[in-house]
Amino acid sequence: MKTLPTPATQSGPVTDVPLTAEELQLASRNHAMPLEMLTADRTPAGLHYLLTHFDVPLIDAGAWRLRIGGAVHRPLEFSLAQLQAREQRTLAVTLECAGNGRSLIKPRPVSQPWIYGGVGTADWTGTPLAPLLAEAGVDPEAVDVVFTGADRGVQGGEEQSYARSLKVSEATSRDVLLAYAMNGAPLPPQHGFPVRLVVPGWYGMASVKWLTGIEASTVPYTGFQQMSSYRYNRSETDPGDPVTRIKVRALMVPPGIPDFMTRNRLVDAGPVRLRGRAWSGRAPIQQVKVAVDGVWSEAQLDPPDGEYAWRGWTFRWQAEAGGHQLRCRAMDALGQVQPLEPEWNYLGMGNNAVQTVTVTVRP
């Protein structure tokens, strides 16, 4: 097995061999959204991508409390019923795992082996966080707001509860939610019941599940998930830059029918309607292009579906008999375009390289 050195912060080495037993174990606990579900505006809860760092905690909603403290003038505590009685908002939000596409990077980090499906879009219902922080009276000297979940385990040799922070200005954005419902139903246990954070536009690591504590801090937060994980590291020793907002991406619903093992597609000759979704955490989608055997053409965009949800697209393809390669590529309003090939980094984060679909067209 050819590997490269790995720091203590990593879950495993960097490798260029097939999946390890540890990766298969992670893949059996977590799951991707099947790409055919790109046809749905909203991803059903059971098909939405799922990444759980440690164990799913089973929480008694009646006994659960959310505490807001730290550098605030008035520490607060809320029950689930009290949060549900406050201002309610529902936002359609596309969440994507920061490691989506990791297995396509060569050599790859040994971790959750995402291909393309670490994504989903749901209607999240909850109460805005900003008014609660205003009531607590965040200290003007505070720089970070730290969010802690009930899930606990060991990573990088450190026992920890999963926790992440946002800058005060980010945490007080009008659309950051304390969500208690998903697609009109209470959060399922695996998606953070009874309450989770939802941070629109950011990769999923920011949307802390099973939320138990919120603390304002006058010093930058340096917890493991903030400083040792979810970084764009260029080498083993590079501290890297933090992973934040979702990079621009388009995905295609694989056309036709699949081969069971390879998932390569079988399509009948003639007109084929290709379709998919595109999204970006930084700006609205402006364009999607589709390549058939390397020739790029512009797809038709559906109307926008809210500020934070993916946008549908379609493309008419006159399929001719033989083998073909299909690709799709998005651009957002800031001019950010997907790379044609993966951009390597040590933790396998933010790989938004274009998707490739292999198709055999039957005469």
Side-chain angles (χ1 to χ4, degrees):
M1 176 177 178
K2 180 181 177 183
T3 62
L4 302 178
T6 181
T9 58
Q10 266 297 85
S11 56
V14 174
T15 183
D16 58 6
V17 302
L19 294 182
T20 65
E22 291 81 5
E23 286 175 297
L24 291 174
Q25 180 173 240
L26 284 175
S28 72
R29 287 189 52 83
N30 303 308
H31 68 77
M33 180 198 72
L35 293 186
E36 58 268 30
M37 292 310 299
L38 289 164
T39 58
D41 292 336
R42 302 293 178 265
T43 312
L47 294 171
H48 194 287
Y49 97 89
L50 183 68
L51 178 69
T52 303
H53 282 77
F54 305 125
D55 288 349
V56 174
L58 298 179
I59 297 174
D60 178 354
W64 175 88
R65 296 294 185 270
L66 175 65
R67 295 171 177 84
I68 300 179
V72 299
H73 299 308
R74 294 172 295 280
L76 301 174
E77 182 175 293
F78 295 93
S79 67
L80 177 59
Q82 287 172 324
L83 289 181
Q84 291 171 331
R86 296 180 63 92
E87 175 192 355
Q88 184 180 100
R89 293 189 66 195
T90 297
L91 290 175
V93 178
T94 296
L95 291 180
E96 182 176 15
C97 184
N100 200 18
R102 175 184 287 119
S103 69
L104 303 175
I105 297 175
K106 306 301 180 186
R108 74 175 192 284
V110 177
S111 187
Q112 171 66 27
W114 295 118
I115 304 176
Y116 295 118
V119 67
T121 297
D123 285 328
W124 302 96
T125 299
T127 193
L129 172 63
L132 277 73
L133 294 177
E135 289 176 24
V138 176
D139 191 314
E141 300 298 315
V143 293
D144 280 359
V145 179
V146 182
F147 303 89
T148 302
D151 49 329
R152 188 168 181 83
V154 178
Q155 192 172 356
E158 177 183 328
E159 184 172 335
Q160 59 192 275
S161 296
Y162 184 87
R164 289 274 310 181
S165 72
L166 295 171
K167 299 298 181 189
V168 172
S169 59
E170 297 161 348
T172 53
S173 167
R174 64 184 177 88
D175 292 330
V176 174
L177 292 182
L178 299 179
Y180 43 75
M182 179 183 188
N183 293 337
L187 292 178
Q190 70 272 27
H191 284 292
F193 179 85
V195 173
R196 68 176 293 167
L197 190 67
V198 172
V199 186
W202 284 58
Y203 280 111
M205 79 283 158
S207 294
V208 177
K209 293 181 283 189
W210 310 292
L211 198 60
T212 59
I214 300 173
E215 290 200 359
S217 174
T218 57
V219 297
Y221 178 63
T222 57
F224 178 90
Q225 301 295 339
Q226 199 80 22
M227 301 302 297
S228 299
S229 188
Y230 297 107
R231 314 282 297 186
Y232 293 113
N233 309 91
R234 288 164 285 276
S235 69
E236 176 187 355
T237 57
D238 175 31
D241 299 315
V243 174
T244 57
R245 290 185 173 272
I246 299 172
K247 295 182 179 181
V248 63
R249 184 194 283 275
L251 287 177
M252 177 188 306
V253 178
I257 61 174
D259 174 77
F260 173 71
M261 284 297 295
T262 66
R263 311 312 291 180
N264 290 342
R265 312 302 294 190
L266 296 174
V267 175
D268 292 330
V272 176
R273 181 173 178 258
L274 303 177
R275 60 186 302 192
R277 305 278 176 172
W279 61 93
S280 170
R282 296 188 181 276
I285 292 297
Q286 183 169 298
Q287 181 187 73
V288 172
K289 288 189 172 182
V290 174
V292 179
D293 300 326
V295 179
W296 291 92
S297 303
E298 191 164 347
Q300 180 176 346
L301 293 176
D302 295 347
D305 186 14
E307 186 176 353
Y308 302 112
W310 53 24
R311 188 171 183 180
W313 59 266
T314 56
F315 181 80
R316 299 289 179 177
W317 173 38
Q318 189 65 31
E320 299 179 353
H324 300 279
Q325 185 184 81
L326 307 178
R327 308 183 88 184
C328 55
R329 191 183 199 189
M331 180 177 73
D332 67 19
L334 293 177
Q336 299 177 115
V337 180
Q338 291 180 256
L340 295 176
E341 300 297 333
E343 297 173 348
W344 192 88
N345 64 84
Y346 202 81
L347 299 181
M349 298 291 173
N351 174 21
N352 66 329
V354 300
Q355 173 193 17
T356 299
V357 180
T358 300
V359 175
T360 299
V361 178
R362 302 178 291 196

